[in-house]
């Protein structure tokens, strides 16, 4: 039994209706971060799902950095940031992806991963899957392999997994 099952992580995630816009129920993970035992349990739970022989973790801006950094420390791996446009200082590779209205873009340093590297991507929450799809594409375009995508929370009713059928997905908490 992992510590994430001893502590019920759902108790530390609250719903904020109509944030950031009407109709969205925002899953607020800040109570989980604020509780040392719950935060540690979430990181242990993610660490249990790490595949073998991973070269690095990739964290997605911005809450993916929080979980990614803690998981990197727990597993002894380094952390590679995937960021919004214009934030990374060196030569970047970027990918554009569709939002409900308009497009967005994510970037990674070109030299952060190389051909044959095996990475695991970390984010706080899987909703429609568009953000993770774009990040998986970034990694693949640089020639590296994605050994898994880890989430703390999954909104299963949005079917984000359908966009991610080519990579292993794991979430600690799923809302049906
Ligand atoms: P998506 O690309 O639709 O899977 O959205 C995932 C990203 O948006 C994650 O980085 C989440 O932090 C954020 N996000 C989307 N929907 C929610 C929600 N209902 N509550 C909290 N964060 C969300």
């Amino acid at each position: 039994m992992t510590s994430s099952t001893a502590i019920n992580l759902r108790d530390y995630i609250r719903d904020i209706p109509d944030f950031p816009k009407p109709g969205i129920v925002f899953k607020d993970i800040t109570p989980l971060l604020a509780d040392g035992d719950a935060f540690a349990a979430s990181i242990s739970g993610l660490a249990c799902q790490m595949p073998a022989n991973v070269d690095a973790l990739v964290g997605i801006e911005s809450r993916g950095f929080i979980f990614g950094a803690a998981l990197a420390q727990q597993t002894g791996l380094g952390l590679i940031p995937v960021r919004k446009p214009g934030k990374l200082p060196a030569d970047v590779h970027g990918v554009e992806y569709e939002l409900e209205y308009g497009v967005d873009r994510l970037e990674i340093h070109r030299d952060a991963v190389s051909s044959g590297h095996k990475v695991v991507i970390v984010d706080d929450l899987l909703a429609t899957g568009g953000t993770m799809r774009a990040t998986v594409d970034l990694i693949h375009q640089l020639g590296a392999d994605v050994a898994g995508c880890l989430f703390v929370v999954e909104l299963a009713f949005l079917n984000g997994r359908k966009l991610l059928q080519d990579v292993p997905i794991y979430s600690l908490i799923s809302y049906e």
Side-chain angles (χ1 to χ4, degrees), residues 25-27 63 123-131 155:
V25 178
F26 192 86
K27 295 289 181 194
R63 288 179 294 275
D123 203 359
D124 66 325
L125 184 140
L126 173 61
T128 65
T131 305
L155 304 184

Side-chain angles (χ1 to χ4, degrees), residues 54-72:
V54 171
D55 295 301
L57 292 174
V58 171
I60 305 176
E61 186 170 0
S62 60
R63 288 179 294 275
F65 292 170
I66 300 171
F67 292 102
L71 187 59

